[in-house]
Amino acid sequence: MDWGNVIIKEIQKDHNGTVTLLTGVLHLEGSVKTTKLKLTWLPETPELLSLWLVELDHLITKKKLDEDEDFLDALNPCTKWEIPTLGDSNMRNLKCGEILQLERKGYYRCDVPFLKPSKPMVLMAIPDGRQQPVPRRPCSL
């Protein structure tokens, strides 16, 4: 982490369009802060943990309702997303309630810690206080 940059020279994909190989050159002088395109990755190992990242949105879609407005018309139909992902094996030491920062993603609170490989951990997103609209994704109902 924070080594510098890698300049990607070649991207190979399979027949489905999934990236299977990146070929690059290490560029230690590159600035991690000013580089626009960034890639976060984990090596494919059996130690990776199964995670669910849970993100919540506002219940009401407007900042302020008018007096004559029915609040039911402003209800957000989708306020919860569960995103399956993988995590580093060191995360198995997290205890319920502990907070961690996921690189380029945000802060999360451990809601369900590691119990066994077949049961995913659950991390709840912690809002950062910025009033930015949450990107709309398919709802997990």
Side-chain angles (χ1 to χ4, degrees):
M1 194 159 115
D2 298 333
W3 275 12
N5 293 333
V6 173
I7 299 170
I8 302 298
K9 298 290 189 180
E10 180 185 3
I11 300 173
Q12 292 182 17
K13 298 180 181 182
D14 65 14
H15 63 281
N16 294 322
T18 302
V19 175
T20 58
L21 180 70
L22 295 174
T23 304
V25 177
L26 187 59
H27 179 63
L28 293 175
E29 302 79 32
S31 170
V32 176
K33 291 184 179 181
T34 60
T35 300
K36 290 182 184 176
L37 299 175
K38 298 178 182 174
L39 175 69
T40 301
W41 64 276
L42 292 169
E44 190 172 339
T45 65
E47 291 83 28
L48 291 179
L49 302 177
S50 177
L51 308 173
W52 281 101
L53 301 180
V54 178
E55 297 183 13
L56 304 172
D57 196 3
H58 297 283
L59 295 174
I60 306 289
T61 59
K62 297 175 73 174
K63 279 188 173 189
K64 184 176 181 191
L65 296 173
D66 296 328
E67 269 189 47
D68 59 340
E69 195 170 7
D70 185 352
F71 80 94
L72 293 175
D73 294 333
L75 284 179
N76 189 347
C78 184
T79 59
K80 179 181 180 182
W81 296 275
E82 295 176 338
I83 305 155
T85 191
L86 297 172
D88 185 88
S89 63
N90 292 322
M91 295 173 72
R92 74 179 62 235
N93 298 323
L94 283 171
K95 307 281 186 261
C96 188
E98 286 188 314
I99 295 172
L100 77 153
Q101 180 182 13
L102 298 180
E103 188 76 17
R104 286 188 270 289
K105 189 76 178 127
Y107 288 91
Y108 287 79
R109 178 190 172 278
C110 181
D111 197 51
V112 177
F114 176 80
L115 300 172
K116 57 185 177 180
S118 62
K119 183 166 176 48
M121 294 178 65
V122 177
L123 302 179
M124 299 288 293
I126 298 173
D128 61 8
R130 288 182 265 170
Q131 288 290 4
Q132 295 178 351
V134 174
R136 299 294 173 213
R137 296 166 284 204
C139 196
S140 56
L141 297 176

